[in-house]
């Protein structure tokens, strides 16, 4: 019997479009008894404006999930380039999970940290 091969979804083409998620995320950490915080500004990238509109529509849910994600990090790990890169990948995954649940497609191709302040 022939085996059904899933057809890859057509990837949108065209120029990248970016949309910031404002305001920036601010998360507090207890770093060995010292109160510290991280402020993260990020933008999402898609090639389909409709998907960026869907991110905006679902922003409360996305922001909630990202705040939980960011708060679960360690201050020390976020201080390393590898830690930031890992967080960037997890951030994209969290946004895509919400987008899949709400629209049936990941929609967003990339997430970029446009500002990352640790204090």
């Amino acid at each position: 019997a022939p085996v059904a091969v899933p057809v890859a979804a057509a990837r949108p083409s065209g120029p990248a479009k970016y949309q910031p998620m404002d305001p920036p995320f601010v998360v507090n950490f207890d770093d060995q008894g010292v109160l510290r915080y991280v402020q993260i500004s990020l933008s999402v990238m898609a090639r389909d404006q409709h998907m960026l509109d869907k991110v905006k529509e679902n922003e409360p849910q996305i922001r909630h999930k990202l705040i939980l994600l960011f708060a679960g990090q360690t201050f020390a790990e976020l201080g390393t380039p590898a830690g930031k890169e890992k967080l960037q990948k997890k951030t994209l995954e969290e946004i895509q999970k919400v987008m899949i649940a709400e629209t049936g497609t990941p929609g967003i191709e990339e997430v970029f940290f446009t500002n990352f302040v640790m204090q």
Side-chain angles (χ1 to χ4, degrees):
V3 178
V5 178
V7 178
R11 189 176 181 153
S13 59
K17 299 175 191 289
Y18 301 91
Q19 180 169 288
M21 291 193 70
D22 289 326
F25 295 83
V26 178
V27 180
N28 294 315
F29 293 88
D30 182 339
D31 183 34
Q32 298 162 3
V34 178
L35 187 62
R36 298 183 177 267
Y37 79 91
V38 175
Q39 179 182 342
I40 302 171
S41 299
L42 66 89
S43 287
V44 295
M45 187 275 272
R47 296 180 195 279
D48 179 352
Q49 183 61 49
H50 174 69
M51 283 298 143
L52 293 178
D53 295 342
K54 288 292 181 188
V55 168
K56 203 65 159 157
E57 282 175 29
N58 292 287
E59 193 164 344
Q61 185 181 167
I62 290 170
R63 290 186 73 86
H64 170 76
K65 303 239 185 230
L66 293 183
I67 287 168
L68 294 178
L69 172 66
F70 298 159
Q73 306 305 302
T74 66
F75 195 80
E77 190 174 40
L78 292 182
T80 68
K84 287 181 185 75
E85 202 169 292
K86 189 169 146 195
L87 184 61
Q88 180 186 13
K89 286 189 179 105
K90 286 182 179 175
T91 300
L92 176 61
E93 287 168 10
E94 285 298 321
I95 294 172
Q96 287 178 334
K97 279 184 206 167
V98 172
M99 294 296 286
I100 288 167
E102 297 299 330
T103 71
T105 176
I108 300 305
E109 290 179 45
E110 288 288 344
V111 170
F112 297 97
F113 293 144
T114 53
N115 201 21
F116 203 105
V117 178
M118 298 177 64
Q119 198 161 316

